């Protein structure tokens, strides 16, 4: 694999992260948003929340300025949920998928929580039920299936599928 560097994100990474999410959203079945729903507002919102209250890590490849993977989660600002990082989302550039980038990003994020965020007891994510490879991947990292959100996802062909809630506990 080409060399990959992991680092925390900065606000000036927003355009590169937006491009990454657009590329990752082209294939239906992973991210909930379509490419046209990956807007600057959406990316600015999660980058600022992650920098302020959560964690965001990006993977940079050999090409200058190109972000090939990103993971983030954040606290939602409610005191009763201040021990929870939520809305976890990960995207890896389709050209780099299946080469270990996703596992590197997740491992780094969970290590950061374990070492640097004693205030965080729980990290949670939602995965669509048909994304079987992603679900087994999350289980291999210690996430457990906790519940089902029935017919939460509407596919482009009009069919519905369930979302699974998964949680990782310190
Ligand atoms: C899911 C995703 C983040 C995995 O990242 P990746 O870099 O491809 O994964 P890795 O190469 O580190 O492999 C980790 C595991 O992910 C699984 N995986 C690999 N490619 C995958 C793909 N295209 N889709 C889903 N899972 C995949 C494998 O089972 C692998 O398990 P293994 O290590 O036991 O072989 C990435 O494929 C992606 O961005 N998909 C599109 C967006 C998406 O689905 N986001 C998650 C929404 S919940």
């Amino acid at each position: 694999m080409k060399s990959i560097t992991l680092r925390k994100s900065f606000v000036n990474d927003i355009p590169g992260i937006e491009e990454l999410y657009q590329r990752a959203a082209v294939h239906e079945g992973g991210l909930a948003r379509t490419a046209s729903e990956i807007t600057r507002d959406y990316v600015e919102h999660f980058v600022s929340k992650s920098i302020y209250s959560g964690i965001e890590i990006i993977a940079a490849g050999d090409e200058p300025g190109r972000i090939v993977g990103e993971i983030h989660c954040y606290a939602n600002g409610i005191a009763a949920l201040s021990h929870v990082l939520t809305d976890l989302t990960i995207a890896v550039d389709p050209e780099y998928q299946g080469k270990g980038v996703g596992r590197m990003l997740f491992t780094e994020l969970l290590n950061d929580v374990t070492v640097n965020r004693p205030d965080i007891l729980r990290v949670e994510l939602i995965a669509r039920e048909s994304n079987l490879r992603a679900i087994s991947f999350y289980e291999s990292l210690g996430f457990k299936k906790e519940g089902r959100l029935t017919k939460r996802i509407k596919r482009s062909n009009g069919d519905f599928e369930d979302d699974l809630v998964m949680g990782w506990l310190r």
Side-chain angles (χ1 to χ4, degrees), residues 17-27 31 35-36 38-39:
I17 296 170
E18 184 180 348
E19 285 168 20
L20 165 69
Y21 269 66
Q22 301 242 354
R23 291 194 294 273
V26 165
H27 304 289
L31 296 174
S36 65
I38 307 293
T39 60

Side-chain angles (χ1 to χ4, degrees), residues 24 27 29-32 88-93 96-104 106 125-128 131-138 140:
H27 304 289
L31 296 174
L88 186 146
T89 308
I90 180 168
V92 173
D93 189 315
Y96 285 75
Q97 286 177 17
K99 297 176 177 172
V101 177
R103 190 172 287 281
M104 282 168 67
F106 247 112
L125 61 82
I126 292 178
R128 62 173 78 194
N131 201 350
L132 295 176
R133 289 178 72 193
I135 290 165
S136 358
F137 171 36
Y138 304 150
S140 78

